[in-house]
Amino acid sequence: ETVLTQSPGTLSLSPGEKATLSCRPSQDSSISNLAWYQQRPGQAPRLLIYDASTRATGIPDRFSGDWSGTDFTLTIKRLEPEDFAVYYCHQYGSAHRFIFGPGTKVEVK
Amino acid sequence: QVQLVESGGGVVQPGTSLRLSCAASGFTFSTHGMHWVRQAPGKGLEWVAIIWHDGGAQYYGDSVRGRFTISRDNTKNTLYLQMNSLRAEDTAMYYCARGIVGPGYYFDYWGQGTLVTVSS
């Protein structure tokens, strides 16, 4: 069964800095099979990126997703105050399983 | 606009049952697979179950299989989760989410969640 490993566990940055988050699947899968979600404290998750690199409706263009050949990455070009949150990657696994990574917390340095 | 509103959470004792509901609006409910995803306090997201758009198939995460049942009523635009034999480790916020199949698979809309606490 596929496991998603997210790194780092916590990212401490200042507003205006660039954030790069990684998600590595334990098994090969389609390079489109990856979504990213943002969860702010006390809120439900919100879809940011789907099909690895497509921004969801209403998501600012400072968010981007990519595939490096080994890892999926979520990049936030310049952190805004509202971007400090937890980010989860998600993949459809085999046998109708849906897998989430453990999350990366982006916190204010 | 798409809305998903969960209800039915509460405090229950171990070994008892609870049924959650998710009322959907703003889209054609009967054409989408639907999911339950949960989040224990201070923890990450855990997928719980999926039901196909027509209710024709259901699949479950390992931790709930055999105890939880997902169902839907497309005439009422409502998703359900029947939870039996509840355990302390089932304590979590339960979210319903709409599934979208594309090249990948993703959850494009989420409800605000309903909190289930299992405690004696």
Side-chain angles (χ1 to χ4, degrees):
Chain A
E1 182 174 310
T2 301
V3 174
L4 297 176
T5 301
Q6 289 190 244
S7 60
T10 302
L11 198 52
S12 299
L13 295 168
S14 301
E17 290 194 294
K18 177 181 176 180
T20 302
L21 289 65
S22 172
C23 176
R24 177 174 291 191
S26 61
Q27 298 181 15
D28 289 342
S29 177
S30 162
I31 61 172
S32 296
N33 182 16
L34 199 285
W36 291 95
Y37 304 87
Q38 177 194 66
Q39 188 175 34
R40 295 170 176 151
Q43 295 188 15
R46 176 175 74 141
L47 177 67
L48 292 178
I49 301 284
Y50 63 93
D51 296 346
S53 60
T54 304
R55 274 189 304 277
T57 303
I59 301 304
D61 62 6
R62 64 179 181 272
F63 291 92
S64 63
D66 204 355
W67 163 248
S68 72
T70 55
D71 291 27
F72 293 95
T73 58
L74 174 69
T75 301
I76 311 171
K77 240 181 336 191
R78 287 175 303 277
L79 284 163
E80 298 286 342
E82 61 270 25
D83 299 337
F84 292 92
V86 180
Y87 293 83
Y88 295 96
C89 60
H90 158 240
Q91 194 172 65
Y92 170 65
S94 60
H96 305 286
R97 306 290 180 89
F98 298 83
I99 302 136
F100 289 97
T104 290
K105 181 179 182 181
V106 179
E107 66 176 20
V108 179
K109 186 174 181 180
Chain B
Q1 72 281 21
V2 173
Q3 275 201 306
L4 299 170
V5 180
E6 302 93 337
S7 61
V11 180
V12 296
Q13 293 192 330
T16 61
S17 300
L18 199 62
R19 188 176 85 156
L20 306 182
S21 300
C22 170
S25 60
F27 67 103
T28 305
F29 182 68
S30 61
T31 62
H32 288 83
M34 295 294 297
H35 299 253
W36 288 99
V37 177
R38 70 183 182 181
Q39 186 171 38
K43 303 297 184 183
L45 301 171
E46 179 188 12
W47 174 75
V48 173
I50 178 181
I51 185 166
W52 286 10
H53 65 97
D54 59 357
Q58 306 86 36
Y59 299 95
Y60 300 90
D62 292 341
S63 60
V64 307
R65 189 178 301 112
R67 299 187 299 123
F68 290 12
T69 302
I70 188 172
S71 62
R72 65 191 299 159
D73 185 337
N74 285 347
T75 67
K76 295 182 178 178
N77 291 344
T78 303
L79 175 73
Y80 303 100
L81 185 68
Q82 177 67 42
M83 304 186 295
N84 297 333
S85 303
L86 282 161
R87 306 167 180 167
E89 54 265 38
D90 296 318
T91 294
M93 184 72 78
Y94 284 75
Y95 298 100
C96 64
R98 187 175 83 166
I100 298 292
V101 179
Y105 194 106
Y106 51 96
F107 307 137
D108 65 340
Y109 287 96
W110 299 64
Q112 283 304 301
T114 188
L115 182 61
V116 173
T117 303
V118 183
S119 174
S120 54

